[in-house]
Amino acid sequence: MQLEINSYFITKWKSQVKKGLLEYIIMLLLKSKPCYGYELINEMNQFASLEIAEGTIYPLLNRLKKEKLVTSEWAEMETGIPRKYYKLTEEGIVHLEVMKQYFEALNLSITRITKE
Amino acid sequence: MQLEINSYFITKWKSQVKKGLLEYIIMLLLKSKPCYGYELINEMNQFASLEIAEGTIYPLLNRLKKEKLVTSEWAEMETGIPRKYYKLTEEGIVHLEVMKQYFEALNLSITRITKE
DNA sequence: GCTATGTACCTTGCATCGCTATGTAATTTC
DNA sequence: GAAATTACATAGCGATGCAAGGTACATAGC
């Protein structure tokens, strides 16, 4: 008997893994350089092979802004549509550090369990 | 000016990180040995420093059972309250492998971005 | 015996957040 | 001038961790 993968389960799971981790990854990316929303979607896809929807990124960025972890600024382009650039605040950097510690500790535990 | 940590944000974030990762960690633990629900809470706390509530673990185990990724079996104890032991199925092992690949790839990306 | 604590299971309802779907508007390409 | 791309935004749905509440039995201390 062939064991089949329940792709519905896996798809659902992947989407759940993104919850929280997305916020972390976005903040990591914003720490290295300010980005605009549409750009982040491409960066995520390229660097992390993570497909994310526009309906995910814009609410997320607004949440981070409301929490004062990022600031945004419109940038008029010489050519093309105006872009809203997001930048990590000092507070964002401090929070990112806490998140990093948590994630790395968690990650270590997972690695340990995996190798058991 | 002192930069304060918004613990509410961090608490919320940690809870979000657990979404999805919890399912993965539980399955990893169950692969190494069959466990009962109450035991998993302690194992999680000990091995992963992850505090999880009972209202989290029992619905999660039932979901996994419904998806046929685990089976359960009552074990009458010589002494003490009966326990419901959960065990990863063959299907569960195969799914866990897919999840492992996804998580490790994601993890690699995060490491890369962090060091950028 | 009786109370408190611990073990072990379960369920209801809320809050959060990724995603689909949809919309707007400007720009670029053919 | 039609189609595709860039770039933003929002409403509503679905999935899931958690607080809160419940049941039932076991054990330890008084």
Side-chain angles (χ1 to χ4, degrees):
Chain A
M1 177 201 142
Q2 179 72 33
L3 286 174
E4 295 208 5
I5 300 289
N6 178 347
S7 357
Y8 177 64
F9 173 82
I10 295 290
T11 303
K12 224 170 48 181
W13 174 73
K14 285 184 181 175
S15 145
Q16 291 301 323
V17 171
K18 289 184 194 171
K19 288 197 180 181
L21 247 37
L22 253 194
E23 218 160 31
Y24 179 52
I25 297 173
I26 294 292
M27 285 173 73
L28 279 175
L29 284 171
L30 287 182
K31 195 193 170 194
S32 70
K33 70 162 195 259
C35 288
Y36 55 100
Y38 200 81
E39 184 184 15
L40 281 169
I41 294 176
N42 293 327
E43 294 266 322
M44 292 288 286
N45 196 4
Q46 198 180 333
F47 287 109
S49 307
L50 270 185
E51 307 262 351
I52 54 171
E54 293 179 58
T56 300
I57 194 80
Y58 293 112
L60 193 161
L61 288 169
N62 280 328
R63 279 200 309 275
L64 291 179
K65 194 179 171 185
K66 203 179 284 175
E67 302 281 353
K68 298 192 195 307
L69 304 183
V70 304
T71 50
S72 69
E73 203 175 337
W74 280 103
E76 294 291 334
M77 312 307 294
E78 292 153 31
T79 166
I81 303 171
R83 296 165 176 173
K84 204 190 231 178
Y85 275 88
Y86 290 88
K87 197 181 142 187
L88 213 57
T89 61
E90 281 298 315
E91 244 179 295
I93 293 174
V94 175
H95 279 73
L96 182 56
E97 202 52 44
V98 177
M99 291 157 81
K100 194 171 151 189
Q101 276 167 30
Y102 181 79
F103 180 70
E104 287 180 355
L106 183 60
N107 208 12
L108 198 66
S109 304
I110 293 178
T111 309
R112 213 178 306 132
I113 297 169
T114 308
K115 284 180 181 156
E116 204 171 81
Chain B
M1 176 201 144
Q2 179 72 30
L3 284 174
E4 297 208 6
I5 300 289
N6 179 347
S7 357
Y8 178 64
F9 173 82
I10 295 290
T11 302
K12 226 170 46 182
W13 176 72
K14 285 183 182 176
S15 143
Q16 289 302 320
V17 171
K18 289 185 195 170
K19 289 197 181 182
L21 247 38
L22 252 196
E23 217 160 32
Y24 179 52
I25 297 172
I26 294 292
M27 285 172 72
L28 278 175
L29 284 172
L30 287 182
K31 196 194 170 193
S32 69
K33 71 162 192 255
C35 288
Y36 56 100
Y38 201 80
E39 184 184 14
L40 282 168
I41 294 176
N42 293 326
E43 294 267 320
M44 292 288 286
N45 196 4
Q46 198 181 331
F47 286 108
S49 306
L50 271 184
E51 306 263 351
I52 55 170
E54 293 181 56
T56 300
I57 195 80
Y58 292 113
L60 193 162
L61 288 169
N62 279 328
R63 281 201 307 277
L64 291 179
K65 194 178 170 186
K66 204 178 282 173
E67 301 281 352
K68 296 192 198 307
L69 304 182
V70 304
T71 50
S72 69
E73 201 174 339
W74 281 103
E76 294 291 334
M77 313 306 295
E78 294 154 29
T79 170
I81 303 171
R83 298 165 175 174
K84 203 189 233 178
Y85 275 89
Y86 290 87
K87 198 180 141 189
L88 214 57
T89 60
E90 280 298 314
E91 246 180 291
I93 293 174
V94 175
H95 280 74
L96 182 55
E97 202 52 45
V98 176
M99 291 158 81
K100 194 171 152 190
Q101 276 169 30
Y102 181 79
F103 179 70
E104 287 180 355
L106 183 59
N107 209 12
L108 198 66
S109 304
I110 292 178
T111 308
R112 213 179 304 131
I113 297 170
T114 307
K115 286 181 180 154
E116 204 171 80

